[in-house]
Amino acid sequence: MTDAVHDVARGSERLLRIGVPSKGRLADLAAELLSDAGLTFRRTDRTLFARCRDMPVEVTFLRTDDIPVLVAENAIDLGITGADLVAESGVDVVERLELGIGSCRLALCVADDAPLADPAALHGKRVATSFPRITRRWLGDRGVDVHLVELSGSVEIMIALGVADAVVDLVETGSTLAANRLRVLADIGRYETVLIQNRDVADAELVDRIVRRLQGIVIARSWSLLEYNVPRSRLAEAEQVTPGFHSPTVMQLEDPAWCAVRAMVRRAEAHAIMERLEAIGASAVIETTITNCRL
Ligand code: PRP
């Protein structure tokens, strides 16, 4: 069905289309992210489309590895997928936002006990991967010529099966490597889940609104709001510990010797920052979760 026929069939103007993974952990994370950004939808069993409630947006459920090419071909305007899959597809799309989820690295791995010291030692050997484009380019840049075995999954068992001398695979927690007695010989790249966009979207304004909304959620998830009281004599030190996103808010307390400070801090650093604040005499230090923000 052409776009126009498809639109007429649903009796509406063309909705903005966002492609999201149809299954797996990333499907849940993407749905949660969209919902937090006010793009709520309900997927009924096995449907491939879901209309968002409050925006002219349609969510399309797709295979994660098809999303880059479908964005490039303008079948969908936006897509949520792995930056690794975007790089592997080699298509020309705009990466709008890193989504702070699905972080992993792509690594060249060999058997724990293999007497291989660096990638050059793989010259003339067999390397199994589901990332042939990235692997070929990375090894080619280093002058290492290998026989590539291209697979779509279960790459981690290929050394044990005798199919390859090395594999290029994603590493997240490292448990797959440990379970298969593999070690990393070299890191090839770090990737996370991203929002990608077709170069010529029809409604750029709506796309920008969605990007801003998602950005507000992504930033909110990695920052906290810290509030504390500190003696005015120690304020300069406290401000160095919590410089804030732009600068901290400082308010005078009734007691002229004290002031109250409010500043955003990286959530991962909040505990360490609270300890440093206590050490310089701050009290009533409170961390508050931010659920949404516009900076
Ligand atoms: C991925 C990847 C690794 C594993 C890494 O496989 O290919 O095998 O996860 O994760 P870990 O470091 O946390 O163990 P996935 O489960 O997606 O299936 P696949 O082997 O079919 O690609």
Side-chain angles (χ1 to χ4, degrees):
M1 210 186 299
T2 65
D3 275 359
V5 174
H6 189 101
D7 294 339
V8 169
R10 282 176 293 125
S12 65
E13 81 281 21
R14 164 83 137 87
L15 299 171
L16 188 114
R17 290 194 188 128
I18 304 181
V20 301
S22 58
K23 55 186 175 186
R25 206 170 72 91
L26 197 49
D28 297 335
L29 292 174
E32 192 185 337
L33 193 59
L34 289 174
S35 160
D36 286 353
L39 292 154
T40 50
F41 58 88
R42 194 156 55 88
R43 186 185 184 191
T44 45
D45 275 350
R46 291 178 157 273
T47 51
L48 296 180
F49 295 97
R51 168 82 205 257
C52 287
R53 280 191 202 112
D54 302 317
M55 292 187 96
V57 173
E58 182 174 64
V59 177
T60 310
F61 306 96
L62 300 162
R63 276 181 58 116
T64 314
D65 48 359
D66 285 339
I67 289 176
V69 70
L70 291 171
V71 170
E73 293 294 327
N74 213 6
I76 49 177
D77 304 278
L78 293 169
I80 292 179
T81 187
D84 52 328
L85 298 172
V86 180
E88 179 59 27
S89 70
V91 295
D92 181 27
V93 295
V94 186
E95 188 182 306
R96 291 297 305 263
L97 195 62
E98 291 187 334
L99 297 174
I101 51 178
S103 175
C104 61
R105 58 183 173 141
L106 190 66
L108 176 63
C109 308
V110 294
D112 263 343
D113 55 2
L116 298 162
D118 61 67
L122 289 170
H123 198 76
K125 296 193 183 296
R126 299 158 304 163
V127 178
T129 185
S130 39
F131 292 87
R133 180 188 291 263
I134 297 174
T135 302
R136 195 172 287 118
R137 189 185 315 128
W138 192 86
L139 288 171
D141 286 349
R142 286 154 185 79
V144 184
D145 192 19
V146 301
H147 171 69
L148 269 193
V149 181
E150 299 184 21
L151 299 157
S152 55
S154 305
V155 165
E156 64 274 14
I157 61 166
M158 294 304 150
I159 296 176
L161 280 183
V163 173
D165 305 290
V167 298
V168 168
D169 199 9
L170 292 172
V171 180
E172 198 178 337
T173 60
S175 56
T176 301
L177 286 190
N180 291 281
R181 297 170 189 268
L182 304 176
R183 66 180 165 91
V184 172
L185 190 61
D187 274 316
I188 290 183
R190 286 198 167 271
Y191 302 97
E192 68 176 272
T193 305
V194 288
L195 178 75
I196 54 171
Q197 181 209 300
N198 178 272
R199 287 220 170 267
D200 304 306
V201 285
D203 193 343
E205 203 177 308
L206 180 56
V207 167
D208 287 347
R209 261 180 81 202
I210 292 169
V211 171
R212 288 287 294 151
R213 283 185 178 206
L214 288 169
Q215 200 171 37
I217 302 303
V218 171
I219 293 171
R221 286 178 175 184
S222 59
W223 292 77
S224 284
L225 187 66
L226 270 198
E227 294 171 278
Y228 58 91
N229 296 335
V230 68
R232 186 157 275 282
S233 59
R234 312 296 297 268
L235 178 61
E237 289 166 80
E239 284 182 323
Q240 280 187 357
V241 177
T242 60
F245 211 86
H246 293 302
S247 76
T249 305
V250 179
M251 291 160 286
Q252 181 61 57
L253 291 184
E254 199 71 57
D255 180 343
W258 283 75
C259 47
V261 180
R262 193 166 63 198
M264 285 173 73
V265 299
R266 288 205 174 275
R267 195 174 289 180
E269 296 167 9
H271 290 289
I273 288 173
M274 290 171 93
E275 285 161 7
R276 287 172 66 195
L277 288 172
E278 275 191 304
I280 60 175
S283 63
V285 187
I286 297 168
E287 179 188 1
T288 307
T289 301
I290 304 167
T291 53
N292 195 358
C293 65
R294 296 289 170 111
L295 299 173

